[in-house]
Every structure is written in C-alpha cells, then in structure tokens.
Amino acid sequence: MNRKNCSMVFLCATLLVISCSKDGSNGKDGTNGTNGKTALTKTTKEPAGANCKYGGTKFETGIDANNNGILDSDEVTTTQTKYVCDGAGAIYSSWIDVNVSDTLTKLNEEKNFYFKQLLPATALTADIVNKGIVLMYYKNINGVIYPVDRDPANTIRDTDSTGNDFVFGPGFVFKEKYLSFLVSGWNMMDKINGNGSAVRYVLIPGMVQGRSIADVKKMPYSKMAKLYNIED
C-alpha cells in the first residue's frame, strides 16, 4: 500500500472513531433561585391636617420584605407616599413626580403616545367619569403650570436636568378607577423623568356648584385652584 492510500485509511479510521463517540451524561439541575419580592400599595383615610386641609386619602407603597402580603409600616417607602385630597367640592392629587415608562401596556386611546405613567385614581368614580370634570396639570422645572389637554398636538415646553430645552405633546386618559399621564415624542423619557416636573389631577363631581365644564377648562390653574380651595 502506497503512502497516499495509507493516509486516507488513517483519516477514515480517525473520523469513524470520532463519529462513534457518545455524549456524556447530563449534569444535575442547579438549585432554584429565591422568589422575588412583591411591591404593595396601601390606602388609608387621611384626616384633615397638614397633608390635606379637608382630609383625603393617603397612598403608601413599598416592598413586601417579609412576604406576608401586607405592607407593614417598616416596609413603606416614605419618599413615594402620595395624597389625594378633598377640596371644597373637588378632589385633587398631590403634585406627583413625572416618571413615565415605555414598557406599560397601552389602551387603544393611548397608542398615539410613546410613554405612559399610571396615577393613583381610586377616587375617580363612575359618577365623576359620566357627569363630572377631570382635569390634569403639568408643572415644569421652573414651576410654570400648564393645563394638559387630551390632544398631543398641544405642546408644553420644559428643560431637562442638563439645562437643555425640549417640547413634548402631553395627554391623559381616564375611566373609572383609572388615570394615565401620557407623553408623545420618541426620545422624551430621558428628558422628562427626573427633571423636577410633576403632574396633578383635579376631579370635580357633577353636582358641585361652580362653573360649567367649558368655563373650568378655560380657567388658568391659579383661578381654578382658588375656586375649589386647592392648596399647593
């Protein structure tokens, strides 16, 4: 047998040995990881006082560290506590830091907007939705307060945390027990989150004396707040 043929035989034999090798047995599964902690929200009635002149509702949030399904007092993240206060015939939220997200599922009415923030809205009853007034306001980094329209074509000017100006289209959607603040503009989330801006909503039941819906919506924030004794 010549050298060329010997080489071919050796190569074939090597390939045969390799192709006939068996896989080793699978290793054991690793141990399961620990379950994550659950975020909880607790609502309590807030008496009339420093936080709400006429009383209202306090919203506390935090992580259920001991997994007992209850938000204990030592689990509350106090910096995230919010209040929905009763005014003289109106219900209003505290100023809520803007913190929109691009990961929340959107309702059909919200799909014209890029970003969304859910707001606590247990006081938003069917009666207010059907017969009352729902108002939203945006306070920019300089403390200027703008009414938020439900049409993103009406824009608001603000400044980000680095000092650069930007313009965005705001909006909001509401239904019973549901209220969202919305932002249009694909690159707005990094500009608006953490820049010191905030939103507030005002709920006016249908039987409250005051002005017509059209009149109230035309009012500047300061006049509306004075009419319904809304405090900052």
Side-chain angles (χ1 to χ4, degrees):
M1 183 181 296
N2 59 33
R3 180 175 297 176
K4 182 177 181 180
N5 289 339
C6 287
S7 298
M8 290 298 295
V9 171
F10 177 75
L11 177 60
C12 290
T14 302
L15 291 174
L16 181 63
V17 171
I18 293 173
S19 64
C20 292
S21 299
K22 294 182 179 180
D23 293 335
S25 58
N26 292 330
K28 295 181 179 179
D29 292 336
T31 57
N32 293 330
T34 57
N35 293 328
K37 303 295 183 180
T38 302
L40 298 177
T41 299
K42 179 173 66 174
T43 61
T44 54
K45 186 171 180 59
E46 179 70 13
N51 295 316
C52 289
K53 182 176 180 179
Y54 298 96
T57 303
K58 178 166 67 172
F59 291 81
E60 296 175 298
T61 60
I63 302 299
D64 185 15
N66 58 10
N67 293 317
N68 66 350
I70 300 171
L71 186 63
D72 299 317
S73 58
D74 60 345
E75 296 172 335
V76 172
T77 304
T78 56
T79 56
Q80 296 178 1
T81 297
K82 305 297 180 186
Y83 299 89
V84 174
C85 300
D86 301 330
I91 302 165
Y92 60 97
S93 72
S94 56
W95 285 106
I96 301 168
D97 293 338
V98 171
N99 186 27
V100 295
S101 170
D102 60 355
T103 60
L104 297 175
T105 302
K106 294 186 179 70
L107 303 178
N108 287 334
E109 309 95 296
E110 299 169 333
K111 290 184 178 178
N112 289 332
F113 298 86
Y114 285 86
F115 308 107
K116 168 179 174 178
Q117 178 177 356
L118 286 175
L119 306 175
T122 57
L124 185 49
T125 63
D127 187 65
I128 294 175
V129 170
N130 296 326
K131 302 177 184 178
I133 307 174
V134 180
L135 302 171
M136 180 84 72
Y137 296 92
Y138 177 91
K139 182 164 63 174
N140 75 2
I141 190 173
N142 297 313
V144 179
I145 299 174
Y146 299 88
V148 175
D149 201 296
R150 302 184 74 188
D151 183 352
N154 297 310
T155 58
I156 289 176
R157 179 177 295 276
D158 205 347
T159 305
D160 65 21
S161 57
T162 64
N164 294 313
D165 291 343
F166 64 93
V167 175
F168 70 97
F172 67 101
V173 166
F174 66 88
K175 57 183 181 177
E176 185 178 359
K177 309 293 184 185
Y178 181 95
L179 184 59
S180 63
F181 171 63
L182 304 164
V183 171
S184 65
W186 67 270
N187 63 340
M188 288 297 110
M189 186 169 73
D190 292 337
K191 296 178 181 295
I192 199 170
N193 284 354
N195 79 327
S197 59
V199 291
R200 157 176 280 176
Y201 62 84
V202 178
L203 312 177
I204 305 173
M207 298 301 291
V208 170
Q209 298 298 315
R211 302 287 191 277
S212 68
I213 293 177
D215 287 343
V216 171
K217 286 185 175 180
K218 291 177 182 178
M219 287 181 184
Y221 172 79
S222 58
K223 187 175 180 179
M224 183 280 304
K226 183 177 180 180
L227 178 64
Y228 293 105
N229 289 320
I230 295 172
E231 297 191 332
D232 288 330

